[in-house]
Amino acid sequence: MNIPRNPDTPQLSTVASFFISILFWITLIFAACLYAVLALSPRLSEALSLQEHYSKNALVVSRLDQEISHLSKVANALENDPDFVARVAGSELARLPSSNNLQIQVDQHLDYDARIPHIEIEQSPDPPWYTQSVHQLSQPTALRNHTLIATLILFGLAFVCFNDGFFSNRLGTTIIAMCHKLVHRYLTDSQ
Protein backbone atom coordinates (compact mmCIF):
# COMPACT_ATOMS: atom_id res chain seq x y z
CA MET A 1 0.00 0.00 0.00
CA ASN A 2 1.46 3.29 -1.08
CA ILE A 3 0.69 6.29 1.15
CA PRO A 4 0.63 9.62 -0.72
CA ARG A 5 2.89 12.27 0.73
CA ASN A 6 1.92 15.85 1.22
CA PRO A 7 4.31 18.02 -0.81
CA ASP A 8 4.05 20.85 1.77
CA THR A 9 5.53 18.67 4.55
CA PRO A 10 9.34 18.99 4.71
CA GLN A 11 11.18 15.66 4.70
CA LEU A 12 14.16 14.94 6.92
CA SER A 13 17.37 13.68 5.44
CA THR A 14 18.47 10.15 6.22
CA VAL A 15 21.33 11.44 8.41
CA ALA A 16 18.95 13.54 10.50
CA SER A 17 16.54 10.63 10.72
CA PHE A 18 19.40 8.37 11.84
CA PHE A 19 20.43 10.80 14.60
CA ILE A 20 16.84 11.20 15.75
CA SER A 21 16.56 7.41 15.95
CA ILE A 22 19.81 7.21 17.96
CA LEU A 23 18.56 9.94 20.31
CA PHE A 24 15.29 8.05 20.76
CA TRP A 25 17.03 4.80 21.71
CA ILE A 26 19.59 6.45 24.00
CA THR A 27 16.84 8.36 25.81
CA LEU A 28 14.64 5.29 26.06
CA ILE A 29 17.45 3.08 27.39
CA PHE A 30 18.51 5.74 29.90
CA ALA A 31 14.92 6.14 31.12
CA ALA A 32 14.57 2.35 31.39
CA CYS A 33 17.78 2.18 33.45
CA LEU A 34 16.53 4.90 35.79
CA TYR A 35 13.25 3.06 36.22
CA ALA A 36 15.11 -0.20 36.86
CA VAL A 37 17.13 1.52 39.58
CA LEU A 38 13.94 2.80 41.17
CA ALA A 39 12.19 -0.56 40.93
CA LEU A 40 15.10 -2.62 42.23
CA SER A 41 16.51 -0.27 44.88
CA PRO A 42 14.29 -1.55 47.76
CA ARG A 43 15.38 -5.14 47.13
CA LEU A 44 19.00 -4.15 46.63
CA SER A 45 18.90 -2.08 49.82
CA GLU A 46 17.59 -5.10 51.73
CA ALA A 47 20.24 -7.34 50.16
CA LEU A 48 23.02 -4.89 51.09
CA SER A 49 21.84 -4.66 54.70
CA LEU A 50 21.60 -8.47 54.88
CA GLN A 51 25.13 -8.73 53.47
CA GLU A 52 26.37 -6.29 56.11
CA HIS A 53 24.68 -8.31 58.89
CA TYR A 54 26.12 -11.50 57.42
CA SER A 55 29.67 -10.12 57.39
CA LYS A 56 29.34 -8.89 61.00
CA ASN A 57 27.99 -12.26 62.11
CA ALA A 58 30.76 -14.03 60.19
CA LEU A 59 33.34 -11.98 62.13
CA VAL A 60 31.68 -12.89 65.44
CA VAL A 61 31.61 -16.58 64.48
CA SER A 62 35.26 -16.38 63.40
CA ARG A 63 36.27 -14.86 66.75
CA LEU A 64 34.29 -17.48 68.65
CA ASP A 65 35.89 -20.25 66.58
CA GLN A 66 39.33 -18.87 67.41
CA GLU A 67 38.43 -18.73 71.09
CA ILE A 68 37.06 -22.30 71.06
CA SER A 69 40.16 -23.53 69.28
CA HIS A 70 42.42 -21.79 71.77
CA LEU A 71 40.49 -23.02 74.81
CA SER A 72 40.53 -26.60 73.49
CA LYS A 73 44.32 -26.33 73.11
CA VAL A 74 44.56 -25.00 76.67
CA ALA A 75 42.35 -27.82 77.97
CA ASN A 76 44.43 -30.37 76.08
CA ALA A 77 47.65 -28.85 77.44
CA LEU A 78 46.29 -28.82 81.01
CA GLU A 79 45.51 -32.52 80.71
CA ASN A 80 48.66 -33.70 78.88
CA ASP A 81 51.50 -31.17 79.42
CA PRO A 82 52.92 -31.08 82.97
CA ASP A 83 55.27 -28.19 82.09
CA PHE A 84 52.29 -26.04 81.00
CA VAL A 85 50.42 -26.97 84.19
CA ALA A 86 53.47 -25.95 86.26
CA ARG A 87 53.75 -22.59 84.46
CA VAL A 88 50.04 -21.85 84.92
CA ALA A 89 50.22 -22.87 88.59
CA GLY A 90 53.34 -20.74 89.09
CA SER A 91 51.61 -17.81 87.44
CA GLU A 92 48.57 -18.22 89.70
CA LEU A 93 50.70 -18.60 92.83
CA ALA A 94 52.73 -15.52 91.92
CA ARG A 95 49.51 -13.56 91.83
CA LEU A 96 48.62 -14.44 95.39
CA PRO A 97 49.63 -11.76 97.85
CA SER A 98 52.27 -12.72 100.38
CA SER A 99 54.29 -10.84 102.96
CA ASN A 100 57.63 -10.89 101.11
CA ASN A 101 56.31 -10.45 97.52
CA LEU A 102 56.11 -7.05 95.96
CA GLN A 103 53.33 -6.72 93.42
CA ILE A 104 53.42 -4.08 90.74
CA GLN A 105 50.35 -3.41 88.69
CA VAL A 106 50.95 -3.34 84.96
CA ASP A 107 48.72 -2.45 82.10
CA GLN A 108 46.21 -5.10 81.07
CA HIS A 109 47.78 -5.55 77.64
CA LEU A 110 51.17 -6.35 79.23
CA ASP A 111 49.75 -9.04 81.52
CA TYR A 112 50.03 -12.46 79.86
CA ASP A 113 47.86 -15.42 80.67
CA ALA A 114 48.14 -18.46 78.41
CA ARG A 115 44.54 -19.40 79.08
CA ILE A 116 43.20 -16.18 77.55
CA PRO A 117 43.21 -16.42 73.79
CA HIS A 118 44.92 -13.83 71.64
CA ILE A 119 42.35 -13.05 69.00
CA GLU A 120 43.23 -11.07 65.92
CA ILE A 121 40.60 -8.39 65.50
CA GLU A 122 39.44 -8.23 61.91
CA GLN A 123 37.68 -5.23 60.52
CA SER A 124 34.42 -5.77 58.72
CA PRO A 125 34.68 -4.82 55.05
CA ASP A 126 33.52 -1.38 54.06
CA PRO A 127 30.15 -1.28 52.31
CA PRO A 128 30.17 -0.52 48.58
CA TRP A 129 30.28 3.13 47.53
CA TYR A 130 26.72 3.11 46.22
CA THR A 131 25.11 1.81 49.43
CA GLN A 132 23.99 5.22 50.72
CA SER A 133 22.40 6.16 47.37
CA VAL A 134 20.57 2.85 47.16
CA HIS A 135 19.21 3.28 50.68
CA GLN A 136 18.02 6.81 49.81
CA LEU A 137 16.35 5.62 46.60
CA SER A 138 14.63 2.76 48.38
CA GLN A 139 12.80 5.08 50.80
CA PRO A 140 9.96 7.39 49.74
CA THR A 141 12.03 10.59 49.69
CA ALA A 142 12.27 13.64 47.46
CA LEU A 143 15.21 12.07 45.62
CA ARG A 144 13.11 9.05 44.69
CA ASN A 145 10.21 11.26 43.59
CA HIS A 146 12.48 13.49 41.49
CA THR A 147 14.07 10.46 39.86
CA LEU A 148 10.65 9.05 39.03
CA ILE A 149 9.56 12.38 37.51
CA ALA A 150 12.78 12.54 35.47
CA THR A 151 12.13 8.99 34.24
CA LEU A 152 8.61 9.89 33.13
CA ILE A 153 9.84 13.03 31.38
CA LEU A 154 12.51 11.04 29.55
CA PHE A 155 9.96 8.45 28.42
CA GLY A 156 7.68 11.22 27.18
CA LEU A 157 10.56 13.00 25.47
CA ALA A 158 11.62 9.81 23.72
CA PHE A 159 8.21 8.90 22.40
CA VAL A 160 6.82 12.37 21.66
CA CYS A 161 9.81 14.39 20.52
CA PHE A 162 12.38 11.95 19.15
CA ASN A 163 10.56 10.70 16.08
CA ASP A 164 10.61 11.79 12.46
CA GLY A 165 7.07 13.11 12.55
CA PHE A 166 7.78 15.58 15.35
CA PHE A 167 10.42 17.47 13.38
CA SER A 168 8.55 17.40 10.08
CA ASN A 169 5.13 18.63 11.20
CA ARG A 170 4.00 22.08 12.22
CA LEU A 171 3.92 21.47 16.03
CA GLY A 172 7.51 20.29 16.14
CA THR A 173 8.85 23.14 14.08
CA THR A 174 6.89 25.65 16.18
CA ILE A 175 8.35 24.27 19.43
CA ILE A 176 11.85 24.27 17.96
CA ALA A 177 11.42 27.86 16.75
CA MET A 178 10.21 28.96 20.21
CA CYS A 179 13.20 27.31 21.90
CA HIS A 180 15.54 28.90 19.36
CA LYS A 181 14.06 32.37 19.94
CA LEU A 182 14.22 31.92 23.71
CA VAL A 183 17.85 30.84 23.63
CA HIS A 184 18.72 33.56 21.11
CA ARG A 185 17.06 36.23 23.27
CA TYR A 186 19.04 35.31 26.38
CA LEU A 187 22.25 34.91 24.47
CA THR A 188 21.98 38.41 23.03
CA ASP A 189 20.98 39.89 26.40
CA SER A 190 23.99 38.43 28.16
CA GLN A 191 26.50 39.75 25.59
Side-chain angles (χ1 to χ4, degrees), residues 14-188:
T14 56
V15 174
S17 180
F18 174 75
F19 283 119
I20 290 170
S21 177
I22 293 296
L23 276 175
F24 168 78
W25 285 108
I26 288 172
T27 306
L28 187 66
I29 289 171
F30 185 70
C33 290
L34 275 178
Y35 185 74
V37 167
L38 286 175
L40 297 176
S41 63
R43 290 187 178 112
L44 183 59
S45 175
E46 185 67 27
L48 289 173
S49 64
L50 287 175
Q51 180 67 29
E52 184 179 347
H53 290 296
Y54 172 78
S55 62
K56 286 179 182 177
N57 288 340
L59 284 175
V60 169
V61 168
S62 172
R63 289 181 189 147
L64 291 175
D65 283 343
Q66 288 177 357
E67 188 175 345
I68 289 171
S69 172
H70 179 75
L71 291 177
S72 66
K73 288 177 185 176
V74 169
N76 187 22
L78 286 173
E79 292 174 359
N80 300 328
D81 189 4
D83 183 42
F84 181 74
V85 172
R87 283 188 296 157
V88 169
S91 171
E92 288 297 317
L93 290 176
R95 291 175 192 241
L96 293 176
S98 65
S99 60
N100 52 358
N101 278 348
L102 177 65
Q103 289 191 354
I104 300 173
Q105 293 288 6
V106 294
D107 288 325
Q108 187 68 19
H109 73 279
L110 296 176
D111 193 18
Y112 177 73
D113 189 354
R115 295 167 296 172
I116 300 172
H118 176 69
I119 298 174
E120 294 292 328
I121 298 175
E122 300 174 12
Q123 295 292 336
S124 62
D126 291 334
W129 58 270
Y130 52 85
T131 303
Q132 186 66 24
S133 299
V134 169
H135 287 308
Q136 286 179 348
L137 283 174
S138 67
Q139 304 297 324
T141 59
L143 177 64
R144 182 177 175 88
N145 293 338
H146 290 16
T147 307
L148 182 60
I149 290 170
T151 302
L152 293 174
I153 290 172
L154 285 174
F155 273 121
L157 184 72
F159 283 107
V160 172
C161 296
F162 293 143
N163 59 42
D164 290 341
F166 181 77
F167 290 100
S168 61
N169 67 17
R170 187 176 176 116
L171 174 66
T173 54
T174 304
I175 292 174
I176 291 171
M178 281 187 350
C179 290
H180 185 269
K181 286 179 183 178
L182 186 66
V183 168
H184 183 67
R185 176 183 175 188
Y186 287 111
L187 284 178
T188 56

